[in-house]
Amino acid sequence: MIKTPYLLFLGDAPDMLAAKVAIGIRDWRPENAIGQICLPGCGADLGLTNLSLQDGLDAGAKTLVIGVANRGGKISDTWKALLLEALELGYDIASGLHNLLRDEADLVAQAEKFGRTLHDVRVPSVEYPIATGVRRSGKRCLAVGTDCSVGKMYTAMAMDNEMQERGMKSTFRATGQTGILITGDGVPLDAVVADFMAGSVEYLTPDNDPDHWDMIEGQGSLFHVSYSGVTMALVHGGQPDALILCHEPTRTHMRGLPDYYLPSLSQLQSTALILARVANPDVQVVGISVNTQHMSEDEAVAYMSKVETEMGLPTVDPYRHGAGRLVDALAAI
């Protein structure tokens, strides 16, 4: 188990999107977020107290969490001095990067010397099966996006919270490092060998009560040339009964791909339905989640009203305004 609370390490993240792991922990497990620590040039700020390593220990922090999700998931050499010092002072370190802590000889030696633990969240701990496509009992909802980092995890978590408050049967199913760090369980999907990705999603969402919903954390985008494969594994392995379309309207291009533009919500809807109906012919798109964090309240309300009129689907920002209408849509199918 990863010891809590955390000191969130933002490194030299160029912007807030690069710090999405730390942001997720701050927003969904604020009791575990003691503060933040940054390197010079960091372009992210969580609004938490800036602490030194010693200040974090004095405040009760047990684990330094690498809260950065950089392109390629690399442990930067510029981070090393601080990580080594953290181990010496008394921290464990947790990371969800592809570049594993356990593969860094200097960090391993330092952890062994001072009796600390390195947690690599993005390491599959189960030998997952190949997907069978056999229908399972229970219900499943998957968030699919026009791009990466548009709010798919926030949508699923907000809906799960609303369902729990209503007394509905619901479980958030984490499929990425942030969700796993928040909930303590899940499948690090993009680290699973390709042939077993869809099978790992089947494993994650097994047979359940007929009225139980698995709220599956979405990943990537069917339209993102770098990460569409992991999305397909969720679409087929998850066999969703319901899809939520997720969009961030202020983007000018796909995340990390300046020559690629985001698809329209109509394109996402038609493409996702065609692919999802391979595994579940009865799947429906039931709502739209809009990430309006870069819009004023008036802009957000006007935009969502326009989308709802055009698409004929309940359209909300579930983090800003609540997930009630999206849950109502689920309850109606």
Side-chain angles (χ1 to χ4, degrees), residues 81-99:
L82 187 143
L83 298 181
L84 290 167
E85 182 183 359
L87 291 167
E88 181 177 357
L89 286 175
Y91 286 91
D92 293 340
I93 298 178
S95 169
L97 297 172
H98 286 295
N99 185 189

Side-chain angles (χ1 to χ4, degrees), residues 2 11 33 35 45-46 53 59 62-63 113 133 150 177 236 307 313 317 319-320 331:
I2 302 175
D45 184 354
L46 305 182
L53 289 174
K62 305 295 184 184
T63 303
K113 179 179 179 181
V150 293
Q177 73 273 28
H236 286 165
V307 169
L313 292 165
D317 182 331
Y319 189 72
R320 190 172 190 169

Side-chain angles (χ1 to χ4, degrees), residues 16-85:
M16 288 294 284
L17 269 179
K20 68 177 186 178
V21 175
I23 294 170
I25 295 171
R26 177 203 66 184
D27 289 348
W28 295 103
R29 290 294 184 272
E31 69 276 13
N32 288 342
I34 287 289
Q36 65 184 27
I37 184 169
C38 310
L39 294 176
C42 181
D45 184 354
L46 305 182
L48 299 176
T49 303
N50 287 294
L51 300 175
S52 68
L53 289 174
Q54 187 59 56
D55 289 339
L57 287 176
D58 293 343
K62 305 295 184 184
T63 303
L64 182 73
V65 172
I66 296 178
V68 186
N70 56 14
R71 187 170 175 83
K74 300 294 185 182
I75 296 174
S76 170
D77 288 338
T78 62
W79 303 350
K80 282 293 187 68
L82 187 143
L83 298 181
L84 290 167
E85 182 183 359

Side-chain angles (χ1 to χ4, degrees), residues 180-234:
I180 294 171
L181 282 165
I182 291 170
T183 64
D185 191 24
V187 170
L189 187 57
D190 60 7
V192 176
V193 174
D195 277 357
F196 302 94
M197 286 197 299
S200 73
V201 181
E202 289 186 351
Y203 175 93
L204 183 67
T205 60
D207 287 310
N208 218 313
D209 294 340
D211 57 346
H212 178 278
W213 281 96
D214 277 334
M215 305 305 297
I216 306 172
E217 178 188 3
Q219 299 290 337
S221 170
L222 293 169
F223 292 85
H224 199 294
V225 296
S226 302
Y227 308 119
S228 56
V230 71
T231 315
M232 277 298 304
L234 287 161

